[in-house]
Amino acid sequence: MQTANGRVWLVGAGPGDPELLTRKAERLLREADVILHDRLVSPEILALAGPRPQRIYVGKCCGNHHVGQRRTEELLVHCARQGLRVVRLKGGDPFIFGRGGEEMDALRAAGIACEVVPGVTAALGCAAATGIPLTHRDHASSVLFVTGNDRDNRSPADWAALTHRDRTLVMYMGLAALEHFTEGLQRSGLPADWPVAVVAEGTTAHQQTVRGTLTTIAGLAREAGLPSPALTIIGQVVTAGRSHLFETSGQVGAQHVAAPVADGDR
Ligand code: SAH
């Protein structure tokens, strides 16, 4: 039994807008003794915890690991063994490119009780905030989340899986890999004018979106000097359902062909 131990909650903080936190996440933040957070978690979200919990930054930046993954896991175990209520707060959802699985395994191996609280992953937040539907009956019947840089910086093994024309691709961690990725997609059969959007700091007050095509987007994103974090959405949905309600500012290099939007009750 783990009676002497505390507990760890792996909590998703959502993509940036504090109002996208779940009620459970907000409660756990307030009740925590200690919060371990990373770079993607904004000060506004941390402020929801109130003054009591101790905060520990375990962020990483662009491969420059401030606190290594193993060290983070050791810290979680160490805090829990002191009987503390530990919140490990992660941007987006802990189980989407968030190493939540690795941390859960480490905690279980150490006999520490661990619970996961989902968060709004960046793809869903950015899609909502830009009015790009990730699926759409006219344009995409599936959506695939991929990472632009895996552990070994390899290219995706299966380019063919990425080039289905009725599929939306969402690439996380992508700015550095954007050019390589968009070239690979074209070599694997997607057309040069296939629509792409890059969303930086999605759902925050600083959100910026650049729209283009597989051939133009890397240059446009570079010209715009987009900051991190940024996420890339690729597919016909990028041209679907565009509305003036969304993003009247901050767009650079819009290049798109308006796609027909079917109405009617679905
Ligand atoms: N667990 C997180 C993802 C962590 S990986 C989640 O579920 O969202 C980090 C990557 O997520 C970033 O490089 C970027 O591609 C994406 N990301 C996170 N927050 C973002 C935001 N507010 N806007 C755009 N992309 C974001």
Side-chain angles (χ1 to χ4, degrees), residues 12 14-17 38-40 90-100 119-126 145-149 170-175 198-204 207-208 227-232:
D17 177 355
D38 52 43
R39 187 174 55 93
L40 288 176
K90 291 172 161 294
D93 181 87
F95 277 178
I96 302 281
F97 304 126
R99 304 193 184 179
V120 174
T121 191
L124 304 188
C126 292
F145 297 167
V146 295
T147 169
N149 58 326
V170 181
M171 186 178 58
Y172 285 70
M173 294 179 274
L175 273 185
V198 178
V199 187
E201 300 187 281
T203 80
T204 73
Q207 175 172 309
Q208 288 183 64
S228 283
L231 170 137
T232 305

Side-chain angles (χ1 to χ4, degrees), residues 3 20 29 40 66 80 100 105 122 169 209 223 236 252-253:
T3 44
L20 290 176
L29 282 179
L40 288 176
H66 179 80
D105 289 346
L169 274 185
T209 307
E223 275 166 33
Q236 286 298 332
V252 185

